[in-house]
Amino acid sequence: MENKGLASDQQSQQNEKTNDENQKKEIAVEEQWHTVTTRRRAQQQKLQYLRLEEIWSTEIEGFAMFRVMQKQRLLHGPFRVLNKRKYSDIDKKEIVCRQAMEKAQNDLAEDPMNVHLQKIERDAMRDYLAVSDAARSFLQQKAKEN
């Protein structure tokens, strides 16, 4: 009987080790995904800014008002793309961000001292607040139209 108890203790310890290893792998994957998406987002914003800056710095001859109007016309397309990216399916983005934030908060509630989970929760909260603010702004603009 002692052998069975000893074997079950060893098996439970092995299961705990496996669970810990799996959790560490999941955390590593989440960190890598978060890093990649953050870098990609920063690169896209930088490219958009550079394009807008390049368009605005285009030399146009004529009176001041004419130059401003021509630059405004040139910026119309990039601003439409930017607007479409930022506000398309904003309600779905808000739901997804809220769910991600709630998941991060639940995970953090289980292990409040985990620095990695604190960072994930902070980033999820920041993303949710940004998207919910954009959704609110979009709905306010839509309400003004009607």
Side-chain angles (χ1 to χ4, degrees), residues 72-124:
Q72 184 180 10
R73 184 187 292 166
L74 292 172
L75 288 170
H76 181 73
F79 276 140
R80 282 188 67 153
V81 170
L82 182 65
N83 193 33
K84 191 176 279 189
R85 261 192 223 144
K86 183 114 174 150
Y87 290 109
S88 67
D89 295 329
I90 194 75
D91 53 341
K92 292 176 186 174
K93 288 179 185 178
E94 185 178 17
I95 291 169
V96 168
C97 285
R98 188 184 76 233
Q99 290 172 344
M101 180 190 67
E102 289 172 353
K103 181 186 180 309
Q105 288 175 340
N106 290 336
D107 292 346
L108 186 61
E110 292 175 8
D111 187 11
M113 300 306 288
N114 189 331
V115 177
H116 172 69
L117 292 177
Q118 290 173 1
K119 184 178 186 302
I120 289 175
E121 191 268 342
R122 190 176 331 116
D123 292 342

Side-chain angles (χ1 to χ4, degrees), residues 8-111:
S8 67
D9 285 342
Q10 288 175 346
Q11 188 175 11
S12 66
Q13 287 177 351
Q14 189 175 17
N15 287 342
E16 286 179 19
K17 286 181 183 178
T18 304
N19 288 340
D20 288 342
E21 290 173 4
N22 287 340
Q23 277 185 328
K24 288 178 183 177
K25 288 178 183 177
E26 287 176 10
I27 289 172
V29 168
E30 286 179 13
E31 282 180 349
Q32 188 177 19
W33 178 82
H34 181 73
T35 302
V36 168
T37 55
T38 303
R39 282 185 193 155
R40 187 177 300 139
R41 193 177 309 141
Q43 287 173 347
Q44 287 174 347
Q45 288 175 349
K46 186 176 180 180
L47 285 175
Q48 288 172 348
Y49 175 74
L50 290 175
R51 284 186 202 127
L52 295 175
E53 188 176 326
E54 181 181 312
I55 290 170
W56 189 255
S57 63
T58 301
E59 290 293 324
I60 297 175
E61 291 186 24
F63 291 103
M65 190 62 161
F66 177 76
R67 289 194 306 255
V68 169
M69 294 303 294
Q70 290 300 314
K71 289 179 182 184
Q72 184 180 10
R73 184 187 292 166
L74 292 172
L75 288 170
H76 181 73
F79 276 140
R80 282 188 67 153
V81 170
L82 182 65
N83 193 33
K84 191 176 279 189
R85 261 192 223 144
K86 183 114 174 150
Y87 290 109
S88 67
D89 295 329
I90 194 75
D91 53 341
K92 292 176 186 174
K93 288 179 185 178
E94 185 178 17
I95 291 169
V96 168
C97 285
R98 188 184 76 233
Q99 290 172 344
M101 180 190 67
E102 289 172 353
K103 181 186 180 309
Q105 288 175 340
N106 290 336
D107 292 346
L108 186 61
E110 292 175 8
D111 187 11

